Amino acid sequence: MANNRPMTEDEKKLLQAQHRLEAIEARNRQKERKARTRRLIQMGAVLESVFPEVQTMELDDVKMELKRRLNTEERLKA
């Protein structure tokens, strides 16, 4: 049940501080998401420039091909 008594100044300040903290955390999460999105787009662009065939491949096929090529490189180095 809701408490009907008026908030004290200290309670108001605490609530405001909590809301400011939540807003800061939300902005930080948004910045992190934007940075991740940018990084993923850049990685995809690099992949397409080096391996243009990926544009017409299914995602699972791209993943398998990359694993295959990387495993081949590892064997050649050994």
Side-chain angles (χ1 to χ4, degrees), residues 12-53:
K12 288 179 184 178
K13 288 179 182 179
L14 177 61
L15 188 59
Q16 287 175 342
Q18 288 172 337
H19 287 162
R20 279 194 299 271
L21 181 59
E22 289 171 3
I24 289 168
E25 290 171 347
R27 281 193 300 273
N28 287 340
R29 283 191 304 272
Q30 185 178 22
K31 283 181 185 179
E32 290 170 4
R33 279 193 312 271
K34 284 184 176 190
R36 180 176 187 270
T37 299
R38 177 178 167 81
R39 188 176 64 251
L40 292 172
I41 290 169
Q42 289 174 329
M43 290 283 202
V46 168
L47 177 62
E48 283 185 358
S49 71
V50 173
F51 185 38
E53 304 90 86

Side-chain angles (χ1 to χ4, degrees), residues 45-74:
V46 168
L47 177 62
E48 283 185 358
S49 71
V50 173
F51 185 38
E53 304 90 86
V54 298
Q55 295 177 18
T56 59
M57 295 172 70
E58 293 293 324
L59 194 55
D60 287 339
D61 295 335
V62 172
K63 186 177 180 178
M64 287 186 337
E65 182 62 22
L66 285 173
K67 285 181 177 182
R68 185 187 67 76
R69 288 182 183 211
L70 291 172
N71 285 337
T72 302
E73 276 188 31
E74 288 297 319

